[in-house]
Amino acid sequence: MPTNDKSLKSVTQAFHILEYIRENEPVRLTTISTDLSIAKSTMHRYLSTLIENKYLVCQDGQYLISSAFLEYANRIQTRDPFYPLVNAKIQQLANETGELVQFIIEEYGRAIYLFQAIGDNGVQVGNYGKTSGPLHSTAGGKAIMSTWNDDRVVDLCEQTGLSKKTEQTITSVSDLLTELAETRSRGYAINNQENVVGLNAISVPVCNESGTAIGAVSISGPRNRLTEKKCDTELKDILLSVSNELELNYRLL
């Protein structure tokens, strides 16, 4: 958010630096300074301050995010008594299906991968190793958005845009609204190589009492295994059963 307060601008800049290092680590001072268009002397002060406060580490002249952020992640994953139940169910589902299983929430218009478990045959894709991604190109994101009204979806699209991840990605607001209507009708969302080429996914929302998603459970796998037929005849029933169980547990807490 724009501000005229220098101290707040400094805080914003520090977070931009952390985000850059997170995406590019390990990375040297000169590279960070050049890519972010910040003088080396100024950048050095930022980096030194972040190290002093234990948010960065420097190894052989290269900067990395410190393990301090694990404490923040652990806090997020345990602050809600519902989350340990979700994590256990994700692990169980990965064992049952043998695939990559995730629990996704929405925050600031992004899909946040809160929990992940990989079954015996599950794939580990670089994009899914990240902690966040677009809503519109993921099955989990579309499952969550399917519980929103169209105005909220349009507002999000205007704020974030519809970035093209692959040739299959939906980049039209009208096409996305049509896809979400179909998702509501069939009860589950699909991702047909829309986020990663060769990877398909199926997801269902987990909703609160008012019918708004508090998250979504998804199963991802190679397109030759997660076929349209398998999603519709086998995986959807497994996911809907998990969703119903989680919704009941959420309401009983």
Side-chain angles (χ1 to χ4, degrees), residues 13 33 64 69 90 99 138 146-147 172 180 205 211 218 225 242:
Q13 188 71 272
S33 175
L64 305 95
F69 289 96
I90 295 302
E99 301 290 359
T138 60
S146 72
T147 70
S172 160
L180 295 178
S218 72
R225 285 208 302 262
V242 168

Side-chain angles (χ1 to χ4, degrees), residues 77 83 86-95 99-105 112-119 122-132 199 216-220:
Q77 292 179 333
Y83 285 163
V86 172
N87 192 27
K89 186 55 65 174
I90 295 302
Q91 297 288 337
Q92 179 184 329
L93 188 55
N95 292 335
E99 301 290 359
L100 170 64
V101 180
Q102 294 170 303
F103 182 74
I104 299 100
I105 62 172
I112 307 299
Y113 309 128
L114 193 59
F115 297 107
Q116 173 178 288
I118 303 174
V123 294
Q124 179 65 63
V125 181
N127 185 65
Y128 277 74
K130 295 183 179 181
T131 57
S132 68
L199 192 75
V217 180
S218 72
I219 300 173
S220 304

